[in-house]
């Protein structure tokens, strides 16, 4: 309980939830906001270390732009268990762990 009193769990995190995640998107929005997170209304397409996508296996194709950008895509348990344990553990709940998707792209255009 001390962790929850000192700092809100998802402070500084912006979290997008895909359509087929359970609990549903509106319930997840309430949980995220209560834990101090910012609920994103659109799928992020640009890497930011403070952005996370919550998805399910069914929504893998909807996550392609986030995955290409290197944005972590996690299971709903990231939120649910995270709130119960008062911990943020992206790696434990990561989905779609292909090595080509886990790192931000840093390609530079040649002139």
């Amino acid at each position: 309980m001390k962790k929850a009193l000192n700092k809100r769990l998802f402070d500084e995190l912006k979290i997008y939830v895909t359509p087929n995640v359970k609990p549903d998107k509106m319930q997840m929005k309430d949980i995220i906001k209560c834990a101090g997170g910012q609920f994103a209304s659109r799928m992020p397409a640009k890497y930011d270390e403070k952005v996370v996508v919550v998805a399910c296996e069914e929504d893998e194709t909807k996550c392609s732009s986030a995955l290409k950008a290197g944005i972590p895509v996690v299971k709903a348990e990231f939120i649910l268990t995270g709130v119960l344990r008062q911990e943020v553990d992206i790696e434990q709940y990561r989905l779609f762990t292909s090595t080509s998707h886990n790192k931000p792209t840093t390609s530079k255009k040649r002139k």
Side-chain angles (χ1 to χ4, degrees), residues 13-19 25 29 32 38-48 50-54 62-63 65-66 71-72:
L13 279 182
K14 188 171 186 178
I15 303 169
Y16 176 79
V17 179
T18 61
K25 205 170 189 171
K29 178 180 180 179
I32 290 165
Q38 186 179 4
F39 184 81
S41 59
R42 292 186 170 176
M43 173 68 78
K46 186 176 180 184
Y47 179 78
D48 180 330
K50 296 179 182 185
V51 172
V52 177
V53 172
V54 176
K62 292 176 174 70
C63 299
S65 62
I71 297 167

Side-chain angles (χ1 to χ4, degrees), residues 22 28 54-55 74-83 87 93:
K22 302 290 183 241
M28 292 295 269
V54 176
V74 297
K75 303 173 195 172
E77 285 78 10
F78 167 78
I79 301 291
L80 304 173
T81 303
V83 167
E87 64 186 20
Y93 301 105

Side-chain angles (χ1 to χ4, degrees), residues 1-9 84-86:
M1 287 300 273
K2 287 182 183 180
K3 286 183 190 179
L5 294 174
N6 294 334
K7 184 180 175 194
R8 293 171 63 185
L9 181 65
L84 289 173
R85 293 182 180 169
Q86 287 297 296

